Amino acid sequence: SAVISQKPSRDICQRGTSLTIQCQVDSQVTMMFWYRQQPGQSLTLIATANQGSEATYESGFVIDKFPISRPNLTFSTLTVSNMSPEDSSIYLCSVEDRETGGFEQYFGPGTRLTVT
Amino acid sequence: AQSVTQPDIHITVSEGASLELRCNYSYGATPYLFWYVQSPGQGLQLLLKYFSGDTLVQGIKGFEAEFKRSQSSFNLRKPSVHWSDAAEYFCAVRRVNTGKLIFGQGTTLQVKP
């Protein structure tokens, strides 16, 4: 299975600032996803990031607030812009591993963001 | 629209007792179904999956799940729970065309000694 790392693992930020989260995978993958997990809640997909194309955002999420880069098949970044306390969440990246012929999706350890 | 429902928000079982976590899905085609576990402060770990074939699937950590199309269910089971199984459990369905996962609300499992 793919091994995924995220940086930073946690951060405390002031409102109005921006934070960029990095996601690194140990193998080349086509599909990468960014999820948000608000406190005590389930996961909600923010966007799908495929290399060589613009990210596809889910309803309720916009590029100006959550710009995403996908420069190659092993790396992606998510920026949380102009943060407010409502952005306090865990942000997780995931990849779909197709090496086995299945559709397993593996997750990074997450970035715990607190906005004050 | 596709959706996943986990009817039990919180379950408490005694260590050594059996466990069943419920998951119901709404999906028009044959679903790709997953169970994940999230321990406190950790990311999500894949327990098991169902794509096709045998409706009883085995996963890691002694977990199994049974796909029942007639009931639109994919319940997770374990015959004997260990204290280390205390965690949050998520059921998810994969949208075939996009690959994105739709998650249930999660079930918090507490294990009593």
Side-chain angles (χ1 to χ4, degrees):
Chain A
S1 63
V3 177
I4 306 165
S5 59
Q6 286 185 233
K7 290 182 181 179
S9 59
R10 60 177 62 229
D11 207 341
I12 301 173
C13 301
Q14 292 189 342
R15 68 174 66 208
T17 62
S18 298
L19 176 72
T20 296
I21 302 168
Q22 299 179 8
C23 178
Q24 180 74 53
V25 189
D26 69 342
S27 59
Q28 294 185 336
V29 293
T30 301
M31 302 180 78
M32 294 182 74
F33 305 89
W34 285 98
Y35 289 84
R36 181 177 73 181
Q37 186 178 25
Q38 294 177 299
Q41 302 296 313
S42 185
L43 284 81
T44 301
L45 182 66
I46 298 171
T48 303
N50 292 333
Q51 196 266 339
S53 63
E54 293 286 327
T56 303
Y57 289 82
E58 297 298 304
S59 176
F61 298 95
V62 295
I63 187 171
D64 290 345
K65 176 67 175 176
F66 297 101
I68 289 171
S69 76
R70 182 77 199 277
N72 57 53
L73 292 174
T74 63
F75 187 78
S76 178
T77 67
L78 169 76
T79 299
V80 186
S81 303
N82 188 25
M83 288 183 285
S84 66
E86 291 71 34
D87 294 319
S88 297
S89 298
I90 300 173
Y91 293 85
L92 302 103
C93 68
S94 71
V95 303
E96 191 166 78
D97 188 345
R98 303 217 174 161
E99 285 188 0
T100 61
F103 297 98
E104 292 90 345
Q105 199 166 120
Y106 295 97
F107 286 79
T111 296
R112 185 178 296 270
L113 171 62
T114 302
V115 183
T116 60
Chain B
Q2 297 89 354
S3 65
V4 177
T5 302
Q6 294 179 244
D8 305 305
I9 297 173
H10 193 109
I11 283 183
T12 300
V13 299
S14 298
E15 190 169 15
S18 63
L19 170 70
E20 182 170 30
L21 302 182
R22 296 184 292 166
C23 173
N24 294 101
Y25 66 90
S26 171
Y27 193 73
T30 299
Y32 292 175
L33 294 160
F34 305 86
W35 274 100
Y36 286 88
V37 60
Q38 185 178 36
S39 299
Q42 304 295 314
L44 271 70
Q45 182 179 22
L46 179 64
L47 285 175
L48 47 76
K49 64 184 185 293
Y50 171 80
F51 295 148
S52 63
D54 194 346
T55 56
L56 183 63
V57 294
Q58 303 296 320
I60 62 172
K61 303 186 178 186
F63 285 93
E64 66 178 27
E66 186 170 14
F67 170 65
K68 293 185 177 180
R69 184 186 300 276
S70 61
Q71 299 178 18
S72 298
S73 69
F74 188 56
N75 294 347
L76 182 71
R77 301 194 294 247
K78 187 169 185 178
S80 178
V81 172
H82 188 263
W83 64 266
S84 61
D85 293 323
E88 187 82 12
Y89 291 80
F90 293 97
C91 181
V93 63
R94 179 187 182 274
R95 294 187 70 174
V96 173
N97 293 335
T98 65
K100 76 175 195 179
L101 295 181
I102 300 169
F103 285 86
Q105 285 303 106
T107 298
T108 301
L109 173 64
Q110 183 179 0
V111 181
K112 294 190 301 184

